[in-house]
Each structure stands twice: as C-alpha cells, then as structure tokens.
C-alpha cells in the first residue's frame, strides 16, 4: 500500500522531536508545539484580521484550546456537543462557546436550563422549530424552582452548500454537506422570525459553514483536482451572493452578535466574502494529512502518534503495536493513517494498519529494534485524540508538558 505525499521541504517529525521522546512508552501522542505555534500564527494571518473561533473537535485537548486562546485573534470555542460545552465552561472557565451542531442531549440540556451562567456562556445551533420544541420539552420536565428565566441563546444554521443544476427549482446536485434545510435567505428570515417570537429563546448569531470549500482538499489526482477547484469557484460566487443576502435578511429580524462560517481550508476566502464576523477553525493547528492537499496554503504537521516496534518477521519488515486508527468519512484508502517517519515504510497490502499490530515494509525496517518508534499522522485532526490519554508536548527538543486528551480526562461525548 503506497504511502501518500507529505509536505515537501522538511522531515516530519524533525529529529529534535523524535529524540525528545526516546525512551518513553508508546503508543504515544506527540505534539510539536513549535510547529503548532507557527500554524497558529499563520492561521491568524490567513484570516486577515477576522477572529477565529477554535473548533474544539479538531483538538480534543483542553490545554491545547487554552494555549491557542491565549493568542490575540482567537475568540471562544466552537464545540461539538453540549455536554462538552458544559465541561469546557465549568472546568476550564471558557466563557464563550457555540455548540456548532444541533443538540438532543437531555441531561446536558437540563444542566444548561438550570444554570444562569451557562445560559450566558453557551449558544446552541438550530435550523428548525422541532429542535426548539425538543428543548422546550426538556424545560417542561424541570421542577419549576430549578428552571431559570434567561433565554437559550440560539444561532441559526444556514445551509452553505451550493446546489448546482440547470434550473433554480429543478433537479440539482448538492456541492456541500447535508446539514441545515435553510437554503434561501427567505427561509432563514422565516426561521429567524420564529425564534424571535418563541418565548425562552434569543437569536444571537448565524452559523453557515461551507464544508465543500473549507473541508475539501482540492489537489486531487487526475481530473479530480481541477473539477473540485472549478466547483469551489462556483460555490464561492453562490455564497458571496446568497449568504450575504441571508445575513442581511436575518439582521432585519434581530441584532446579531456574530456570523460564523469557514474553516481551516477557507480562512482567506471566508474573510474576503465580507459577510462573516468570525471563522470557526481547528484542524490547521495540528495540520493532519487531509490538510496537506490544498492548493492555496500549507501548514506544518504538528501532531503525531508514535507506535513502538514489537517484532521483525522477515528482512525488510517490522511490526508496530496498534496502528489501525482510521479516519471517519467514506471508506477508502485515503482514510488510513500515514507513516511519517521513517518515510520509506509502507503498509502491507494484505493487512493494512491493524487492530493490535501493523506490519510495515521498507529498507528502514532493518535498522529498527523492538521499542524504537515509528511516527504516524492521522488523516483528520481531533479524532486521533480519542485513541490517546495524553500528548507529550515537545518544544525546542524537550518534552515540556503532558496534555491530557478528552479521553484521558474521561470526557467522552
Ligand atoms: C461547523 C463547523 N465549522 C468549522 C469547521 C472547520 O473545522 P476545521 O478547521 O477543523 O476544518 C467545521 C469542521 O467540520 C465545522 O463543522
């Protein structure tokens, strides 16, 4: 199985990071903090002055979130679950959290609805009255003395996918993801009016994430790259018009605190559109394999997992412990982790990266011994943290800290 491309112009991880963790036990998560800091600065530059809301799903390490939020230009968290948002608020003191996906977590909703402070801190996303009905249903189960009067903060989610077809209302192909049903400015305005009229809720923002631009690599093989780039250009034009009109229409209904869109793959494009007040981004800090394949930018790999060699079945082969840490998405080879160092090692075509062990073939296999590390990169950013209790944080050639992951803290959402 062929190893895919890594960013040119460097060896990843650099020798200073490799030697810093020598002698530690693996599987081990490793963050190259110097690379992550450079990525942070570069993301801020790419966003051209627009604030970045940190997408916690792409980090899943509270200390990393804190570290990034200490930089100017980064504001608040885009969480992926309400239970997570409650933990981040209560245990980490984060005071501005948007839960970027609709929530039906009854337990966490009860905690939210009973807590004035959380109601000030956390914004939920919604795109339909039935989600608000669900929240009201939970509110009704609370003993009356426990419910708090403050409204639930709501961000309306607008569909930033582009429908491409010959006719406005005819069959169309969706270049985007299936999330919000609110596709036209008129639909957005109508739902905004619903939220504003409904007791117990306050409309404070819009979320409109253009996954097909921000999250879709455009340096594909063969015709795939040019086709994706062409579709992106069409989609950017569609959004510049449609999202701008939707934001204007919703602002006629309620004063908005924020309009959030974009992601690591679109920082400069989302900023240039002019309709957003902030960008939600997270992957670029670790810069996983998926983000090696964009035409307009390149960040540095900053997160790895190091797996120890456990045996050598034949000349030219070694076997490392674990490895089958595949990424979510449509099942294909490009969901597999990538061997980063030694870079000549390849997976076995018949076994691939395995549940407990992973055979690797290549010249370097012959100089590795049991206990030596092979370094891998995950295809996506935060998912790898679900396999690890903590990351060893390396800076200037030394392990300077140990950052627990959500999993390590027992936070499973
Ligand atoms: C709502 C939302 N905003 C922003 C992002 C961008 O995150 P990242 O920068 O990690 O790609 C995502 C990623 O899926 C998302 O779902």
């Amino acid at each position: 199985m062929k190893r895919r491309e890594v960013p040119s112009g460097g060896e990843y991880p650099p020798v200073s990071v490799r030697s810093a963790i020598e002698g530690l036990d693996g599987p081990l998560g490793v963050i190259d903090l110097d690379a992550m800091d450079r990525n942070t600065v570069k993301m801020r530059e790419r966003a051209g002055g627009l604030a970045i809301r940190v997408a916690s799903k792409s980090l899943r390490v509270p200390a990393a979130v804190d570290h990034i939020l200490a930089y100017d230009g980064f504001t608040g968290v885009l969480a992926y679950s309400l239970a997570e948002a409650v933990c981040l608020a209560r245990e980490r003191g984060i005071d501005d959290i948007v839960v970027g996906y609709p929530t039906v977590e009854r337990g966490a909703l009860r905690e939210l609805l009973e807590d004035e402070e959380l109601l000030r801190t956390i914004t939920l996303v919604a795109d339909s009255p039935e989600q608000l009905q669900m929240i009201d249903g939970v509110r009704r189960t609370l003993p009356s003395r426990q419910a708090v009067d403050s409204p639930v903060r709501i961000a309306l989610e607008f569909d930033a996918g582009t429908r491409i077809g010959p006719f406005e209302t005819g069959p169309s192909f969706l270049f985007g993801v299936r999330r919000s049903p609110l596709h036209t400015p008129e639909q957005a305005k109508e739902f905004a009016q619903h939220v504003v009229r409904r007791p117990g809720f306050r409309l404070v923002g819009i979320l409109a994430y253009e996954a097909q631009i921000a999250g879709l690599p455009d340096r594909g093989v063969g015709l795939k790259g040019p086709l994706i780039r062409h579709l992106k250009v069409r989609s950017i034009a569609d959004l510049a018009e449609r999202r701008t009109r939707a934001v204007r229409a919703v602002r006629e209904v309620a004063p908005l605190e924020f309009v959030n869109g974009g992601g690591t793959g679109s920082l400069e494009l989302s900023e240039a559109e002019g309709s957003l007040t902030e960008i939600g981004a997270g992957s670029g800090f670790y810069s996983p394999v998926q983000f090696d394949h964009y035409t307009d930018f390149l960040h540095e790999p900053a997160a790895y997992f190091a797996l120890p060699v456990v045996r050598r079945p034949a000349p030219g082969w070694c076997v490392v412990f674990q490895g089958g840490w595949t990424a979510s998405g449509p099942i294909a080879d490009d969901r597999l982790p990538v061997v980063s160092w030694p870079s000549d090692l390849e997976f076995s075509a018949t076994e691939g990266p395995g549940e407990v062990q992973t055979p690797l073939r290549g010249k370097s296999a012959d100089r590795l011994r049991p206990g030596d590390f092979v370094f891998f990169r995950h295809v996506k950013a935060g998912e790898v943290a679900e396999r690890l209790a903590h990351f060893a944080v390396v800076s200037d050639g030394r392990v300077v800290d140990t950052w627990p992951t959500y999993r390590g803290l027992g936070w499973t959402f």
Side-chain angles (χ1 to χ4, degrees):
M1 229 176 278
K2 223 32 223 139
R3 189 180 60 86
R4 281 166 306 133
E5 182 178 2
V6 290
S8 56
E11 188 174 70
Y12 300 99
V15 63
S16 57
V17 173
R18 299 199 307 267
S19 47
I21 64 150
E22 252 171 47
L24 298 181
D25 273 345
L28 182 68
V30 183
I31 288 177
D32 177 347
L33 187 60
D34 303 327
M36 193 177 98
D37 282 337
R38 286 189 291 272
N39 290 341
T40 305
V41 170
K42 190 162 168 190
M43 283 171 70
R44 183 173 62 189
E45 283 166 12
R46 290 180 55 217
L50 217 54
I52 296 179
R53 183 177 287 279
V54 178
S56 57
K57 76 168 181 69
S58 303
L59 293 162
R60 300 183 199 226
V61 173
V65 174
D66 292 345
H67 184 85
I68 293 159
L69 285 177
Y71 276 84
D72 285 341
F74 296 86
T75 175
V77 167
L78 185 73
Y80 68 94
S81 115
L82 176 56
E84 177 204 11
V86 170
C87 285
L88 288 173
R90 288 199 173 142
E91 294 184 32
R92 309 296 296 196
I94 294 178
D95 62 1
D96 174 6
I97 307 173
V98 176
V99 182
Y101 313 85
T103 182
V104 291
E105 298 154 280
R106 290 185 178 82
L109 278 168
R110 274 193 285 276
E111 290 192 60
L112 175 73
L113 294 167
E114 287 170 356
D115 188 327
E116 193 88 51
E117 184 71 31
L118 289 181
L119 282 165
R120 264 200 303 274
T121 301
I122 297 175
T123 301
L124 303 184
V125 89
D127 56 39
S128 117
E130 60 196 19
Q131 294 152 344
L132 306 185
Q133 221 166 312
M134 152 97 205
I135 297 170
D136 274 337
V138 174
R139 205 193 312 256
R140 278 195 294 276
T141 66
L142 296 178
S144 56
R145 64 188 160 71
Q146 264 163 276
V148 163
D149 276 343
S150 307
V152 174
R153 292 165 55 84
I154 295 290
L156 167 160
E157 182 159 355
F158 182 66
D159 175 24
T162 292
R163 295 180 189 171
I164 297 175
F167 309 108
E168 180 104 335
T169 52
S172 60
F173 145 79
L174 172 68
F175 182 53
V177 293
R178 303 248 173 224
R179 291 195 186 178
S180 171
L182 306 175
H183 184 73
T184 66
E186 294 72 28
Q187 289 170 325
K189 185 171 185 176
E190 195 184 329
F191 181 60
Q193 284 163 335
H194 176 89
V195 180
V196 166
R197 275 193 236 114
R198 197 171 177 120
F201 296 92
R202 186 150 78 89
L203 183 63
V204 296
I206 295 181
L207 182 75
Y209 168 56
E210 60 272 45
Q212 72 283 7
I213 298 165
L216 185 64
D218 54 15
R219 274 206 295 126
V221 188
L223 282 178
K224 207 169 148 202
L227 176 64
I228 291 173
R229 286 196 291 279
H230 168 76
L231 290 172
K232 282 192 177 190
V233 169
R234 282 190 66 168
S235 185
I236 289 163
D238 161 48
L239 273 178
E241 196 270 326
R242 198 167 46 85
R243 182 160 59 184
T244 305
R245 276 204 299 126
V247 170
R248 207 176 304 135
V250 174
R251 280 193 192 279
E252 285 169 14
V253 178
L256 299 178
E257 292 173 22
F258 65 86
V259 180
N260 180 298
T264 295
S266 72
L267 291 168
E268 44 287 273
L269 295 166
S270 305
E271 188 270 335
E273 183 184 297
S275 66
L276 305 181
T277 64
E278 59 176 47
I279 301 176
S283 296
F285 303 113
Y286 293 165
S287 196
V289 171
Q290 182 181 353
F291 287 86
D292 295 348
H293 303 286
Y294 283 75
T295 23
D296 293 339
F297 67 90
L298 187 60
H299 293 292
E300 285 178 60
Y304 304 90
F305 55 97
L307 303 181
V309 171
V310 287
R311 56 178 152 201
R312 300 195 298 143
W317 287 90
C318 66
V319 171
V320 293
F321 184 52
Q322 302 226 9
W325 299 358
T326 54
S328 56
I331 293 171
D333 270 6
D334 68 4
R335 301 288 99 186
L336 300 180
V338 163
V339 183
S340 200
W341 189 91
S343 61
D344 65 306
L345 295 179
E346 292 176 9
F347 295 126
S348 143
T350 50
E351 292 184 56
E355 179 183 356
V356 176
Q357 50 174 30
T358 297
L360 294 164
R361 185 181 60 180
K363 272 208 176 95
S364 306
D366 291 333
R367 50 182 177 75
L368 293 169
R369 296 288 175 272
D372 288 348
F373 279 132
V374 175
F375 290 79
F376 295 78
R377 291 171 67 212
H378 202 270
V379 169
K380 298 184 75 176
E383 284 180 19
V384 69
E386 296 298 338
R387 301 283 190 167
L388 299 160
H390 61 260
F391 282 93
V393 180
V394 178
S395 174
D396 220 2
R398 289 182 310 116
V399 175
V400 293
D401 214 339
T402 299
W403 286 352
T405 60
Y406 281 7
R407 180 54 63 103
L409 292 165
W411 292 11
T412 52
F413 307 113

